[in-house]
Amino acid sequence: MSTGPTHAMSGLTAWATATALAGDSSLGTLSVKGWCVGAVLCAGAALLPDLDHPESTVSSTFGPVTAAGSKLINAISHGIYQVTRTKRDSKRDGGHRGFTHTLVFAILASIITTAIVQTSQSWALPLLMFFFSGLAVRGIMHKWCPRNDALWITGTALLLTYACLKWTDQASADAAACGVAVGIGCIAHYLGDAITEQGCPILWPVPIAFKTWYPVAPPKIMRMRTGGTVEMAVVGPLLTAVAIWMSAVALHNAGALPFLDGIPLIPWA
């Protein structure tokens, strides 16, 4: 897998790019507050699939709570793999890069998020926002929140949660955009994993080469090693630069950053 910070930044980059280039669609006409909520959800969701790995950094986001949840998700993912694998799929222990690394999971997460945002009036919405805020903090601010600093992460996530709840209009298009943001974040994670050495079973359960868990990936020469020089020195900084650029475009389109008026932010548009 790519590292947590790279995943989180890829989620933010994907959200910023999608909203900046969405034109007059509902995704391209979000309010500034709606865009910010989506950015938090997308950055957090870009780490969500790795909850199937008990040793991943994201699994320690909220201490024993997410650690226990990660073990459960890993076991469920492993069970699904064992039941649906073909003879061509490799034999393996554990459930990492299983069900949570598929488009089926991304769609499911998107639908559940949309349903909670549009219908919740009590505990579900705050819990959802708190959870994704914590993942976003864990990924984006990894330098300031060590692996075992669950208390610091929780406090920061609570502040973000309060802002997200204040800025989420359950009756507007912003609510549906929350589900889209989670789906985009998951897909950004899959693409990040696909360019690593192991690939990613994005298209499960569609059989490819007689495998239901076919690891989608580019040719080996185009793959990178997790945490290696290419990821840390090239991919990470590039994603950060694009995220800042596309975020500026999207926020300007939403009516913020008036000082950018008259500047061709997207030259080819």
Tab-separated table of all heavy atoms in Angstrom, residues 6 26 41 43 48 75 89 95 105 113 127 179 186 195 204 211 226 240:
chain	number	residue	atom	x	y	z
A	6	THR	N	0.292	9.799	1.908
A	6	THR	CA	0.098	9.838	0.464
A	6	THR	C	-1.354	9.543	0.106
A	6	THR	O	-1.942	10.193	-0.764
A	6	THR	CB	1.022	8.823	-0.240
A	6	THR	OG1	2.382	9.112	0.100
A	6	THR	CG2	0.863	8.895	-1.750
A	26	SER	N	-23.940	19.634	-10.015
A	26	SER	CA	-24.138	19.834	-8.576
A	26	SER	C	-22.825	19.759	-7.820
A	26	SER	O	-22.633	20.448	-6.812
A	26	SER	CB	-25.117	18.794	-8.029
A	26	SER	OG	-24.651	17.474	-8.278
A	41	LEU	N	-14.142	14.705	4.370
A	41	LEU	CA	-14.636	13.344	4.178
A	41	LEU	C	-13.798	12.580	3.157
A	41	LEU	O	-13.486	11.399	3.351
A	41	LEU	CB	-16.094	13.379	3.716
A	41	LEU	CG	-17.123	13.870	4.740
A	41	LEU	CD1	-18.502	13.929	4.108
A	41	LEU	CD2	-17.149	12.963	5.958
A	43	ALA	N	-10.607	13.138	2.200
A	43	ALA	CA	-9.261	12.852	2.729
A	43	ALA	C	-9.310	11.713	3.732
A	43	ALA	O	-8.432	10.846	3.758
A	43	ALA	CB	-8.685	14.107	3.376
A	48	LEU	N	-9.698	4.967	4.588
A	48	LEU	CA	-10.674	3.990	5.073
A	48	LEU	C	-10.376	2.553	4.664
A	48	LEU	O	-10.465	1.645	5.509
A	48	LEU	CB	-12.073	4.397	4.590
A	48	LEU	CG	-13.234	3.501	5.001
A	48	LEU	CD1	-13.405	3.520	6.517
A	48	LEU	CD2	-14.526	3.956	4.309
A	75	ALA	N	-10.922	-9.928	9.554
A	75	ALA	CA	-11.467	-11.285	9.590
A	75	ALA	C	-12.605	-11.445	8.576
A	75	ALA	O	-12.690	-12.459	7.875
A	75	ALA	CB	-11.971	-11.608	10.993
A	89	ASP	N	-6.632	-17.722	-7.898
A	89	ASP	CA	-6.262	-16.716	-6.897
A	89	ASP	C	-5.296	-17.328	-5.887
A	89	ASP	O	-5.389	-18.512	-5.557
A	89	ASP	CB	-7.506	-16.213	-6.159
A	89	ASP	CG	-8.386	-15.344	-7.032
A	89	ASP	OD1	-7.875	-14.323	-7.536
A	89	ASP	OD2	-9.572	-15.675	-7.203
A	95	GLY	N	-6.872	-10.541	5.665
A	95	GLY	CA	-7.817	-9.976	4.716
A	95	GLY	C	-7.401	-8.660	4.109
A	95	GLY	O	-8.236	-7.958	3.527
A	105	PHE	N	-17.181	-2.019	-2.352
A	105	PHE	CA	-17.094	-1.379	-1.040
A	105	PHE	C	-17.226	0.138	-1.165
A	105	PHE	O	-17.900	0.775	-0.356
A	105	PHE	CB	-15.757	-1.728	-0.377
A	105	PHE	CG	-15.550	-1.028	0.944
A	105	PHE	CD1	-16.123	-1.515	2.103
A	105	PHE	CD2	-14.776	0.125	1.024
A	105	PHE	CE1	-15.946	-0.858	3.325
A	105	PHE	CE2	-14.583	0.782	2.225
A	105	PHE	CZ	-15.170	0.284	3.387
A	113	THR	N	-23.071	6.616	3.571
A	113	THR	CA	-22.767	7.989	3.978
A	113	THR	C	-23.889	8.942	3.573
A	113	THR	O	-24.350	9.766	4.370
A	113	THR	CB	-21.442	8.460	3.350
A	113	THR	OG1	-20.375	7.626	3.814
A	113	THR	CG2	-21.153	9.905	3.727
A	127	LEU	N	-21.257	10.904	14.649
A	127	LEU	CA	-20.296	9.810	14.685
A	127	LEU	C	-19.604	9.639	13.345
A	127	LEU	O	-18.387	9.432	13.273
A	127	LEU	CB	-21.005	8.509	15.078
A	127	LEU	CG	-20.111	7.282	15.287
A	127	LEU	CD1	-19.126	7.539	16.426
A	127	LEU	CD2	-20.956	6.046	15.594
A	179	GLY	N	-21.637	11.793	0.265
A	179	GLY	CA	-21.484	10.402	-0.155
A	179	GLY	C	-20.549	10.268	-1.337
A	179	GLY	O	-19.722	9.353	-1.394
A	186	CYS	N	-12.264	6.649	-1.504
A	186	CYS	CA	-11.942	5.215	-1.590
A	186	CYS	C	-11.271	4.886	-2.920
A	186	CYS	O	-10.268	4.155	-2.963
A	186	CYS	CB	-13.213	4.390	-1.423
A	186	CYS	SG	-13.915	4.368	0.239
A	195	ILE	N	-0.745	1.252	-8.160
A	195	ILE	CA	0.569	1.539	-8.748
A	195	ILE	C	1.711	1.090	-7.845
A	195	ILE	O	2.870	1.414	-8.092
A	195	ILE	CB	0.726	3.042	-9.071
A	195	ILE	CG1	0.604	3.907	-7.803
A	195	ILE	CG2	-0.281	3.472	-10.107
A	195	ILE	CD1	0.917	5.370	-8.045
A	204	TRP	N	-13.160	-6.666	-8.247
A	204	TRP	CA	-13.865	-7.806	-7.674
A	204	TRP	C	-15.359	-7.534	-7.633
A	204	TRP	O	-15.766	-6.406	-7.341
A	204	TRP	CB	-13.355	-8.040	-6.239
A	204	TRP	CG	-14.104	-9.118	-5.494
A	204	TRP	CD1	-13.802	-10.437	-5.469
A	204	TRP	CD2	-15.279	-8.948	-4.684
A	204	TRP	NE1	-14.714	-11.114	-4.696
A	204	TRP	CE2	-15.640	-10.220	-4.200
A	204	TRP	CE3	-16.069	-7.865	-4.311
A	204	TRP	CZ2	-16.745	-10.433	-3.365
A	204	TRP	CZ3	-17.173	-8.064	-3.487
A	204	TRP	CH2	-17.503	-9.327	-3.029
A	211	LYS	N	-9.449	-15.067	-12.377
A	211	LYS	CA	-9.274	-14.679	-10.974
A	211	LYS	C	-10.361	-13.678	-10.596
A	211	LYS	O	-10.573	-12.700	-11.312
A	211	LYS	CB	-7.906	-14.025	-10.748
A	211	LYS	CG	-6.709	-14.925	-11.007
A	211	LYS	CD	-5.414	-14.157	-10.750
A	211	LYS	CE	-4.196	-15.030	-10.991
A	211	LYS	NZ	-2.929	-14.276	-10.719
A	226	THR	N	6.201	0.871	-1.804
A	226	THR	CA	5.553	1.615	-0.722
A	226	THR	C	6.575	2.289	0.176
A	226	THR	O	7.490	1.639	0.697
A	226	THR	CB	4.680	0.672	0.132
A	226	THR	OG1	3.686	0.088	-0.699
A	226	THR	CG2	4.022	1.434	1.270
A	240	THR	N	0.595	17.048	-3.462
A	240	THR	CA	0.391	18.243	-2.638
A	240	THR	C	0.239	19.484	-3.503
A	240	THR	O	-0.653	20.317	-3.275
A	240	THR	CB	1.569	18.427	-1.664
A	240	THR	OG1	1.693	17.258	-0.832
A	240	THR	CG2	1.360	19.647	-0.776
